[in-house]
Amino acid sequence: MTDMNPDKARRSASLHRPDARTRRRNAAEKRFRACGLAAILLGLFFLLVLVATILRNGAPAFTRTVLEIELTLSPAQVDAAEAEVFKTRAYAQLFIAALQDQLETRGLDVAFDAGALERIVGQPGGTIRAHFQANPGQIGEPVVFELAASSRVDGYFNGRVSRATLQDSRFLQASDLDLVDALADAGILRRAFNLTFLTGADSGVDNPGGAGIGAALVGSVYMMFVVLALALPIGIAASIHLEEFAPKNRVTDLIEVTISNLAAVPSIVFGILGLAVFIQVLHLPQSAPLVGGLVLTLMTLPTIIISTRAALKAVPPSVRDAALGVGASQMQAVFHHVLPLAMPGILTGTIIGLAQALGETAPLLLIGMVGFVARGYPEGVVAGFTEPNSAMPAQIYTWAARADAGFYDKAWGGIIVLLVFLLTMNLIAILLRRRFERRW
Amino acid sequence: MFDAPHPTLATPTTPPTRTDPKIAACNVDVHYGTTHALRDVSVEIEDRTVTAFIGPSGCGKSTFLRCLNRMNDTIDSARVTGVILLDGEDIHDRRVDPVQLRARVGMVFQKPNPFPKSIYDNIAYGPRIHGLARSKADLDGIVERALRRGAIWEEVKDRLQASGTGLSGGQQQRLCIARAIATEPEVLLMDEPCSALDPIATAQVEELIDELRASYSVVIVTHSMQQAARVSQKTAFFHMGRLVEYDATSKIFTNPEDARTESYITGRIG
């Protein structure tokens, strides 16, 4: 040992002048904090961009272009139309006449032919006839019709379609847009809230205007019910058994490793398992939310079990000791004391699992919950867990894959609905957490 | 000076009497995995007496205490052999439910561990699960009695619905003691109940232990020899997993027979 006195070396430095070592340490800390802040800001920036893009692109899905027209048909006109061979065409002609009438009263003189009008609002004859057949009392009275415009017109209003892009389209021609402009100026064509999008089912590939996410939303809700009703009790029961009761030996070690591995298995593998077991062996109905929910339950279970075990582990052992010390049985100790304390953690894990399940598309492809057009909606779909349905992410996937650009808006709009659903679920979980949260 | 008549092991044919030991342990060995934590301990603990276990850290005194109400059952790697009799009945008998045993042999832990519930619920929990109260008023009475005997009633009587974890360390420990006696145990095991407390709280707990002696058999593990001398009538000295000496406290502290005991209490080892 040298005779250097560490006390003396220390005392020689002034507290007002940080030594080199301290300066280096402080600089390193500053750098690290700056990096952390930068990472958070970068993340926030991307989140902002994402949300803004989704809102901007998705908003048009919630409105649609409608052609609003007041129509008064006399009983004689109805009788005459009903006497025709092509009844809907007769109604369409009445509609065209009324439209021309209205344009003239507003002093707009635009020439248009039936073809152009058909490209703008389709064939409204059927809709009008159906309305008067259902409400014969309204014959002779003024009735306001809101007729959905075609997706190209919709796109024109969104800025997705312009005269330049319409040159050789058979769905809408550039010359038709003069009529569209005139109708818009007259207030006959306007944007209106699209309730169909929220309540309706998917439509055919050539009718993006009629497509709705409602049926898929119902499907997703049903699946979440199945997942929650199965995965939560099974997951918690399994975790409690593994964590509190099972002896620590090779078998439980093996089970633990298996659960961890299952959490990392690609979801499509669970899909094919569901197809093989639930549909091919157990003969459960195809495309049904019940089967989808079962598959997603299998997928969610490992997540819930792992997080529940972590939450149970985090409860201080002194709480268990205290309960056992006053003569509680192990089950009483777990259910009266440990589980309530672990509940916030369990809820977090459950909500992560449910969110994963909600956003899952791949396994649903294999059990036929995708590419589904509802017939007999809403009764058929809303009826139950075993009726064919789709799920929101699968529906969005289908729309995104369709050729018609009108579905593009729908896909973005669907994502907004999906996110709102997810946030609602999270909010409920956070509120529940608040109730359970206790300190120890 | 305290001079108990020499206790004799109860046999099933003779019913337990005042002089019979409350707990009789015979050749108890404990292994944690491959560690031999307790070697061949035989001891007889009397009723209505405070018995202190002293010894250096890791000498097995807490391990032995946890054997007495089978808390070691909750540790997977622990293996207990030997015979422990409570009122002449083997507590390791297949017919014994550890839950029933722990209702009769209460325990207070080293770190105050109130449930994260209200003060009232902390005390009421044991009586509730054992069905000791027939009505709400009955339960209220049990809670008040337990808190009074735990010498904490005056401090908490106005805030029974406040959280038990919001009390100070000393209050929490007295709450835990009150919780343990609310279930009317016959034996109270205390594992270093004062190690987390300041001297004033310690004095309160010690006073409490002395009062409890009137109705219970109290076994206390302590690191403080002064505490053992103050509160106990009998003292057992553990060293390296063995019971070195067990006798009246006054004898242990004034005239120990074993050289190791003498070294320990005079501060030469430990």
Side-chain angles (χ1 to χ4, degrees):
Chain A
M1 290 292 275
T2 62
D3 59 354
M4 200 183 89
N5 186 345
D7 283 343
K8 209 164 196 174
R10 270 179 190 282
R11 219 176 289 133
S12 65
S14 161
L15 266 181
H16 292 173
R17 220 167 352 90
D19 58 19
R21 202 180 161 74
T22 311
R23 272 201 302 279
R24 270 206 308 279
R25 226 158 40 186
N26 291 349
E29 190 173 321
K30 245 182 218 149
R31 277 198 301 277
F32 178 75
R33 282 163 66 168
C35 284
L37 193 66
I40 289 171
L41 289 179
L42 193 71
L44 279 180
F45 170 73
F46 279 122
L47 182 69
L48 214 67
V49 169
L50 181 73
V51 170
T53 316
I54 289 175
L55 286 180
R56 197 169 54 86
N57 289 324
F62 293 92
T63 58
R64 60 175 178 175
T65 311
V66 290
L67 189 145
E68 190 185 278
I69 187 159
E70 196 185 274
L71 209 59
T72 314
L73 295 188
S74 67
Q77 280 175 309
V78 173
D79 286 343
E82 288 295 325
E84 296 257 348
V85 178
F86 297 109
K87 297 180 178 66
T88 55
R89 207 182 66 185
Y91 280 97
Q93 275 156 1
L94 290 171
F95 159 73
I96 291 169
L99 191 64
Q100 217 146 21
D101 214 35
Q102 296 219 351
L103 279 175
E104 272 165 26
T105 53
R106 287 172 212 224
L108 289 161
D109 189 20
V110 189
F112 66 87
D113 56 291
L117 203 59
E118 192 185 316
R119 286 191 290 274
I120 294 171
V121 285
Q123 291 168 324
T127 316
I128 296 169
R129 179 170 182 246
H131 178 82
F132 282 111
Q133 281 193 325
N135 310 287
Q138 291 183 348
I139 296 172
E141 291 170 22
V143 180
V144 177
F145 282 95
E146 275 195 356
L147 302 165
S150 77
S151 73
R152 299 295 146 104
V153 177
D154 231 20
Y156 177 61
F157 279 90
N158 295 342
R160 178 161 48 76
V161 174
S162 70
R163 280 180 170 73
T165 59
L166 275 178
Q167 284 316 325
D168 52 352
S169 168
R170 67 186 172 89
F171 295 109
L172 193 65
Q173 287 165 7
S175 57
D176 298 342
L177 291 175
D178 298 334
L179 177 59
V180 169
D181 285 337
L183 288 170
D185 286 342
I188 293 171
L189 263 182
R190 61 180 179 82
R191 305 287 295 175
F193 182 68
N194 185 1
L195 193 64
T196 313
F197 179 66
L198 287 180
T199 59
D202 193 12
S203 59
V205 287
D206 52 357
N207 178 22
I213 193 117
L217 180 70
V218 171
S220 278
V221 170
Y222 279 162
M223 285 202 297
M224 287 304 107
F225 274 131
V226 174
V227 173
L228 199 61
L230 291 176
L232 194 61
I234 297 176
I236 292 184
S239 319
I240 289 178
H241 183 80
L242 283 173
E243 200 55 45
E244 306 283 341
F245 295 101
K248 304 274 173 287
N249 56 27
R250 273 178 189 218
V251 180
T252 45
D253 281 351
L254 191 71
I255 291 173
E256 204 170 331
V257 171
T258 311
I259 290 172
S260 304
N261 283 336
L262 278 178
V265 166
S267 56
I268 198 144
V269 176
F270 286 105
I272 207 146
L273 178 76
L275 174 67
V277 175
F278 297 131
I279 294 178
Q280 289 175 350
V281 176
L282 297 178
H283 297 292
L284 290 174
Q286 249 181 16
S287 308
L290 176 68
V291 179
L294 286 171
V295 169
L296 294 181
T297 299
L298 293 180
M299 212 197 78
T300 314
L301 264 177
T303 312
I304 293 188
I305 292 178
I306 289 172
S307 62
T308 303
R309 290 190 65 183
L312 290 171
K313 258 197 193 100
V315 174
S318 68
V319 172
R320 292 181 187 84
D321 281 352
L324 295 178
V326 296
S329 69
Q330 207 162 355
M331 200 175 115
Q332 284 171 327
V334 170
F335 279 89
H336 295 167
H337 301 289
V338 178
L339 204 54
L341 290 174
M343 217 56 206
I346 294 174
L347 277 174
T348 307
T350 306
I351 209 69
I352 290 173
L354 279 186
Q356 259 179 14
L358 183 68
E360 204 53 71
T361 317
L364 304 182
L365 297 176
L366 288 169
I367 55 163
M369 287 195 73
V370 75
F372 159 77
V373 177
R375 278 187 296 271
Y377 179 79
E379 293 77 20
V381 173
V382 181
F385 290 94
T386 53
E387 296 297 322
N389 205 333
S390 184
M392 279 192 282
Q395 185 68 75
I396 292 165
Y397 166 78
T398 315
W399 285 339
R402 280 193 190 157
D404 193 322
F407 283 110
Y408 182 75
D409 289 342
K410 302 291 166 191
W412 285 95
I415 282 171
I416 293 181
V417 175
L418 181 64
L419 285 180
V420 167
F421 188 91
L422 192 72
L423 290 179
T424 313
M425 251 167 53
N426 281 355
L427 189 73
I428 294 171
I430 288 170
L431 291 179
L432 280 176
R433 259 187 85 120
R434 281 268 169 79
R435 280 184 63 96
F436 282 116
E437 209 131 63
R438 279 177 232 181
R439 65 209 167 85
W440 56 75
Chain B
M1 194 176 286
F2 187 81
D3 263 328
H6 191 73
T8 50
L9 203 79
T11 57
T13 49
T14 57
T17 62
R18 180 75 179 80
T19 52
D20 283 331
K22 188 69 188 169
I23 296 174
C26 198
N27 309 111
V28 175
D29 277 67
V30 179
H31 297 258
Y32 291 124
T34 53
T35 318
H36 199 165
L38 203 66
R39 292 161 200 265
D40 194 28
V41 171
S42 299
V43 108
E44 291 183 345
I45 291 162
E46 291 161 33
D47 203 2
R48 295 168 208 276
T49 304
V50 178
T51 307
F53 290 173
I54 59 170
S57 294
C59 67
K61 55 195 189 305
S62 288
T63 298
F64 182 59
L65 192 76
R66 290 172 66 92
C67 289
L68 299 182
N69 67 345
R70 288 182 58 179
M71 279 300 272
N72 281 330
D73 288 12
T74 61
I75 300 167
D76 279 330
S77 61
R79 207 171 72 249
V80 181
T81 56
V83 180
I84 298 172
L85 305 176
L86 174 68
D87 286 335
E89 289 176 327
D90 186 355
I91 66 168
H92 288 112
D93 193 281
R94 268 194 306 109
R95 287 164 297 182
V96 172
D97 186 337
V99 169
Q100 230 174 336
L101 171 70
R102 287 179 204 135
R104 286 173 62 182
V105 183
M107 188 157 196
V108 176
F109 297 85
Q110 180 172 3
K111 216 178 105 214
N113 54 354
F115 299 127
K117 296 175 186 287
S118 72
I119 293 169
Y120 184 94
D121 286 339
N122 259 286
I123 306 294
Y125 181 70
R128 263 192 203 130
I129 60 171
H130 296 301
L132 298 182
R134 280 181 305 278
S135 65
K136 176 82 175 77
D138 215 10
L139 193 59
D140 288 348
I142 290 175
V143 169
E144 179 176 342
R145 216 156 42 245
L147 286 170
R148 275 189 196 284
R149 292 174 74 189
I152 189 177
W153 171 252
E154 289 303 323
E155 290 154 70
V156 300
K157 64 179 176 192
D158 298 323
R159 47 175 174 145
L160 290 178
Q161 294 310 319
S163 171
T165 48
L167 299 171
S168 74
Q171 288 173 327
Q172 285 190 14
Q173 192 62 297
R174 278 177 289 148
L175 179 66
C176 291
I177 295 172
R179 180 180 66 193
I181 57 189
T183 53
E184 301 289 341
E186 298 157 24
V187 179
L188 195 57
L189 308 177
M190 303 177 116
D191 192 355
E192 297 182 45
C194 300
S195 67
L197 306 185
D198 68 25
I200 295 168
T202 302
Q204 283 166 327
V205 171
E206 282 179 10
E207 209 172 303
L208 177 60
I209 292 170
D210 203 49
E211 284 165 22
L212 294 177
R213 177 161 65 95
S215 23
Y216 305 116
S217 167
V218 179
V219 184
I220 175 171
V221 165
T222 177
H223 268 298
S224 154
M225 279 171 283
Q226 289 86 342
Q227 186 172 59
R230 281 194 300 266
V231 300
S232 70
Q233 287 79 50
K234 302 270 283 190
T235 297
F237 172 62
F238 287 80
H239 187 57
M240 312 273 279
R242 287 179 198 283
L243 177 65
V244 175
E245 197 168 348
Y246 176 52
D247 213 323
T249 301
S250 50
K251 180 152 190 309
I252 292 274
F253 282 98
T254 53
N255 187 20
E257 273 174 14
D258 197 286
R260 285 168 296 177
T261 316
E262 190 178 0
S263 304
Y264 182 71
I265 59 171
T266 53
R268 279 200 294 273
I269 61 162

